[in-house]
Amino acid sequence: MNALFPFHATTRDINVHVAVTFLPEQSEPDRGRWFWAYHIRIENVGDQPVQLLTRHWVITDGRGTQHRVDGDGVVGEQPVVQPGKSYDYVSGCPLNTPTGSMRGHYHMIGASGETFDIAIPHFALIAPAIAE
């Protein structure tokens, strides 16, 4: 799993795994635009279902400028993750620098009605060098 998803964090029996891919076909370095896709797998290793309610991201570009993103669910869904199951989604992030990073958390609700946050691991966004 770590080979496919090199970034991971565990909070309260919920594993969050992240893989990042630079997308050169969607990037325009000469116009100051770099683009990455990230694949997230949320895995419930506990014994109760959980639902993802909201997301909170802190995106930092290569100059240290931070941009915060808050919203309901992910990719238009508020998934329920049953015990022993996982939920995957893919999204993207543009930056105006060739490097940066992302981190954050998901706000969840358990079967008992208790809400809690789970960590999204910090991960780097690094464009490969382009030989000219």
Side-chain angles (χ1 to χ4, degrees), residues 102-115:
M102 294 177 67
R103 63 182 168 84
H105 67 264
Y106 298 118
H107 191 63
M108 311 290 283
I109 187 167
S112 68
E114 176 187 13
T115 61

Side-chain angles (χ1 to χ4, degrees), residues 50-121:
V50 295
Q51 183 176 17
L52 189 155
L53 299 176
T54 63
R55 69 188 182 283
H56 172 78
W57 286 104
V58 177
I59 303 166
T60 305
D61 72 16
R63 295 181 191 94
T65 303
Q66 291 188 339
H67 177 68
R68 297 181 188 281
V69 178
D70 293 288
D72 291 338
V74 291
V75 293
E77 298 182 18
Q78 290 181 310
V80 174
V81 185
Q82 297 294 332
K85 301 292 184 183
S86 62
Y87 174 81
D88 287 72
Y89 75 95
V90 176
S91 192
C93 179
L95 285 181
N96 58 7
T97 60
T99 62
S101 65
M102 294 177 67
R103 63 182 168 84
H105 67 264
Y106 298 118
H107 191 63
M108 311 290 283
I109 187 167
S112 68
E114 176 187 13
T115 61
F116 55 95
D117 291 340
I118 61 169
I120 302 168

Side-chain angles (χ1 to χ4, degrees), residues 1-2 4-19 38-45 50 52 54 56-57 74 81 85-89 102-108 116-123:
M1 178 73 76
N2 290 346
L4 296 175
F5 295 94
F7 307 98
H8 54 279
T10 301
T11 310
R12 294 181 59 152
D13 293 328
I14 308 297
N15 297 325
V16 178
H17 304 278
V18 182
Y38 55 90
H39 178 172
I40 305 256
R41 174 169 292 162
I42 301 167
E43 181 181 37
N44 184 350
V45 296
V50 295
L52 189 155
T54 63
H56 172 78
W57 286 104
V74 291
V81 185
K85 301 292 184 183
S86 62
Y87 174 81
D88 287 72
Y89 75 95
M102 294 177 67
R103 63 182 168 84
H105 67 264
Y106 298 118
H107 191 63
M108 311 290 283
F116 55 95
D117 291 340
I118 61 169
I120 302 168
H122 179 267
F123 57 94

